[in-house]
Amino acid sequence: MALEPLLSPRRKVVVLVGGVGGAKLAHGMAQIVPPEDLTIIVNTGDDFWHYGLRICPDFDTVMYTLAGMVDPVNGWGVAADSTAMLDALRRYGEQPWFRLGDRDLATHLLRTIGLRDGQRLTEIMARLAHSLGVGATLLPMTDDPVATMILTAERGEMDFQEYFVRFRWQPTVKAIRYAGADAAQMTPEVRAALVAADLIVFGPSNPWLSIAPILNVPEMRQRIASCPVPRVALTPIVQGQALKGPAAKIAAELGYEVSPRTVAEAYRGTINGFVFDERDAAVRLDNLYEFSDLRTISCDTIMQDDVSRARVARLILDWTASWEADHEHLGDHPR
Ligand code: FO1
């Protein structure tokens, strides 16, 4: 649903996201940024093989959200999907712990066949997203396999979906690694989007589970850090709690203070702007990056509906547009 037309000058916007939380901001941006100016780079560290199918939960979550067909209750999967395939698996004695709906299955089938035929994930998903009517460009962070692995105190190391879904993020996290990230390559599409970007936004996604895998793709962190444009992150932690999922629990388990300060610290060296929630106005964010002039702003970051998503997106666009009067913060070559 388009709201008002964009008043500030047209800018190329790149948004980095994980799943449900990030998809909300991506959706807010999609309401106010022309599709040809919007690129969403999506975490693929959550991707895994399941019953012979390649599942890309974060990508699909963003795609379904922008297509207006995401399940409104879960925030992932297809709205009003049926479960005949899962029921049939149970009749064979299987105990499927990952809920793949019947319509959702079509996405996994076509993705898996495309990969088997040697196509790149970027190309396959561009085709599927286009078929669903998504106008913005959605890009996997890389075409190469990267797997977020969780070292837990109780059960040793496990892959992300086991930790997140099978064990309902209850095990204690001791460490996280991004297997395959070292060998992954940045795609030409991601590189081109970053080169053209006038604004880069990190969604209110989990810094360790969703954004860090993206930043760990070789070249990614350096390229983003050296973009002479506003690079703004939103906190997923509000009033000591995660907006959704295990961000607060993991922060505590890794020994960090559960606050937006920790989120901003996680992005040190990469961002030059940070959005935190007005409910955390008392949290001291000054002196965060002593020598780097991190700009901060607070607002109501909760994005419950279409209107609040567009409102947060608009705030980021307007706030960062106002920086352009002051080029010093953006490097020598302001866009
Ligand atoms: N999350 C769950 O908590 N339980 C599920 O059974 C589940 C199935 C699922 C199927 C397709 C899909 O695209 C996403 C799915 N998710 C499920 C969400 C997903 O595991 C997480 O939201 C992300 O990986 C974390 O960002």
Side-chain angles (χ1 to χ4, degrees):
M1 182 186 70
L3 294 179
E4 327 148 38
L6 194 64
L7 296 174
S8 43
R10 280 182 65 162
R11 291 187 292 165
K12 297 273 183 200
V13 180
V14 172
V15 187
L16 274 54
V17 296
V20 179
K24 292 180 182 175
L25 181 72
H27 184 226
M29 287 289 179
Q31 292 178 62
I32 61 171
V33 177
E36 61 275 21
D37 292 340
L38 180 60
T39 301
I40 319 287
I41 299 176
V42 189
N43 170 41
T44 59
D46 296 11
D47 296 8
F48 72 128
W49 291 96
H50 195 58
Y51 287 104
L53 298 172
R54 189 65 176 164
I55 318 288
C56 303
D58 283 356
F59 195 101
D60 294 351
T61 295
V62 176
M63 180 173 74
Y64 295 151
T65 301
L66 294 199
M69 54 187 279
V70 79
D71 182 300
V73 177
N74 292 325
W76 47 264
V78 176
D81 211 350
S82 51
T83 59
M85 188 278 290
L86 289 176
D87 297 340
L89 278 177
R90 288 192 192 94
R91 289 203 62 187
Y92 285 123
E94 294 289 311
Q95 295 177 331
W97 50 269
F98 197 76
R99 284 178 281 157
L100 293 178
D102 297 331
R103 289 178 184 79
D104 187 27
L105 202 50
T107 306
H108 311 308
L109 287 172
L110 291 176
R111 176 167 42 230
T112 305
I113 291 167
L115 290 172
R116 186 203 61 189
D117 291 347
Q119 295 162 23
R120 298 191 302 132
L121 185 63
T122 299
E123 294 164 351
I124 299 166
M125 297 318 296
R127 223 171 31 244
L128 297 185
H130 179 75
S131 302
L132 296 182
V134 176
T137 301
L138 306 190
L139 299 176
M141 67 190 199
T142 175
D143 287 325
D144 299 312
V146 174
T148 299
M149 303 296 297
I150 314 291
L151 180 63
T152 69
E154 299 83 0
R155 294 176 176 271
E157 190 175 65
M158 60 181 77
D159 80 31
F160 177 82
Q161 294 299 340
E162 279 203 292
Y163 161 77
F164 194 89
V165 175
R166 191 173 198 173
F167 296 110
R168 297 166 196 271
W169 43 274
Q170 290 314 298
T172 312
V173 175
K174 293 183 70 178
I176 302 170
R177 71 183 177 98
Y178 311 102
D182 290 351
Q185 289 191 8
M186 178 176 279
T187 64
E189 290 85 353
V190 167
R191 188 175 294 115
L194 292 178
V195 167
D198 297 302
L199 167 65
I200 300 175
V201 185
F202 297 12
S205 304
N206 187 307
W208 306 281
L209 299 181
S210 300
I211 303 294
I214 304 177
L215 296 178
N216 272 279
V217 172
E219 286 182 60
M220 190 79 79
R221 194 186 306 268
Q222 297 81 341
R223 275 187 177 269
I224 291 175
S226 61
C227 284
V229 301
R231 292 169 263 114
V232 174
L234 266 85
T235 183
I237 294 181
V238 175
Q239 291 189 304
Q241 296 189 338
L243 293 177
K244 193 174 195 310
K249 181 171 177 285
I250 290 178
E253 289 167 358
L254 294 177
Y256 301 123
E257 172 190 308
V258 184
S259 96
R261 230 190 130 80
T262 294
V263 178
E265 284 289 355
Y267 299 139
R268 179 187 281 268
T270 320
I271 57 170
N272 52 21
F274 184 65
V275 183
F276 64 106
D277 196 274
E278 60 194 17
R279 295 164 191 80
D280 280 323
V283 175
R284 298 297 299 233
L285 290 168
D286 48 334
N287 294 328
L288 238 183
Y289 303 166
E290 283 144 53
F291 306 104
S292 71
D293 286 330
L294 179 74
R295 296 173 187 234
T296 61
I297 193 170
S298 67
C299 69
D300 178 1
T301 59
I302 311 294
M303 293 181 277
Q304 275 150 341
D305 52 21
D306 290 5
V307 173
S308 51
R309 292 172 184 185
R311 176 184 47 74
V312 174
R314 165 83 62 202
L315 175 117
I316 294 169
L317 291 185
D318 289 349
W319 181 48
T320 55
S322 74
W323 299 13
E324 284 169 12
D326 177 6
H327 292 154
E328 281 167 46
H329 293 270
L330 307 179
D332 292 330
H333 306 288
R335 306 184 80 92

